[in-house]
Structures are given as C-alpha cells and as structure tokens.
Amino acid sequence: QVQLVESGGGLVQAGGSLRLSCAASGSILSINSMGWYRLASGKQRELVAVITSGGTKNYEDSVKGRFSISRDNAKNTVYLQMNSLLPEDTAVYYCNAAIVDRGLGFNNYWGRGTQVTVSS
C-alpha cells in the first residue's frame, strides 16, 4: 500500500557531496518517522540518520557534523545531505519509514536502496 523510492546516489570523490531523496507514496494517513540506513560490503546494516514527526533528529556518530537530515511533509519526502564524504561512507543507502496506512494501520517500510560510492 505504501512505496518508498530513493534517488541521488552515485560516485563521488572524497570530500565531495551528495544529496539523497526518498519519496513515500500510497495510502498514507501519517508518517511517524523517516530515516536512512546503510549497508556496506562485509558489514552489518546501521542506522545513519532519522527524523521524527516532531522534528527530532538523530545521527550515527561517524556522520555527525557532515550529514544533515530533513523532510518536506507536504511531499512526504526525506532528504539526506551528505558533505565531506569519506571512502568509509561507501554503501547502499536504504530509506526507512514508520507509516500509518489508511487501510493496514501502522507498518515499517523500506526502499530498494541507492548506491553511494566514495573514491579516494
């Protein structure tokens, strides 16, 4: 009933910037939170950043001061501005959202992921 579509990934040199976008669509009653996870080769999936409906933001320690999460409630879209990128940021980034569906009630949804590659 709800879909998340990510965009904005790509290849960038160390020190560069990218902005990821994730748009939610479908039978949405409300969105409690939206955020980003990442999965690097050989590592566990980790939470990168999340923003709640009240505007509270949380970041993984290694991205604090470099990444910024924001949302446009009117567009049901969350953004992740990534600055001063490092090779260690290379991963597939997945959008995640906690959404109340008009028919199904509360559920957690995942996007299909977008690749971010940072070269030295």
Side-chain angles (χ1 to χ4, degrees), residues 2-9 19-25 28 31 33-37 51 69-81 93-99 109-114:
V2 175
Q3 291 182 311
L4 305 179
V5 179
E6 303 112 326
S7 63
R19 190 174 84 148
L20 306 183
S21 299
C22 173
S25 61
I28 299 170
I31 300 177
S33 66
M34 299 186 77
W36 295 90
Y37 285 76
I51 183 168
I69 190 169
S70 62
R71 64 187 291 178
D72 185 335
N73 292 336
K75 297 180 178 180
N76 291 328
T77 299
V78 64
Y79 305 94
L80 185 67
Q81 179 66 47
Y93 284 70
Y94 296 91
C95 181
N96 177 78
I99 296 174
Y109 296 91
W110 291 91
R112 299 179 71 176
T114 184

Side-chain angles (χ1 to χ4, degrees), residues 2 4 24 28-32 97-101 105-109:
V2 175
L4 305 179
I28 299 170
L29 182 62
S30 63
I31 300 177
N32 294 118
I99 296 174
V100 180
D101 184 284
F106 182 82
N107 277 297
N108 184 267
Y109 296 91

Side-chain angles (χ1 to χ4, degrees), residues 28-67:
I28 299 170
L29 182 62
S30 63
I31 300 177
N32 294 118
S33 66
M34 299 186 77
W36 295 90
Y37 285 76
R38 65 186 180 186
L39 179 62
S41 296
K43 301 186 68 176
Q44 293 182 316
R45 183 178 63 188
E46 66 178 357
L47 177 66
V48 178
V50 62
I51 183 168
T52 69
S53 60
T56 301
K57 301 174 182 179
N58 289 291
Y59 298 94
E60 194 272 330
D61 287 341
S62 68
V63 308
K64 289 180 179 177
R66 299 189 297 120
F67 292 9

Side-chain angles (χ1 to χ4, degrees), residues 16 23 54 89 103:
D89 296 317

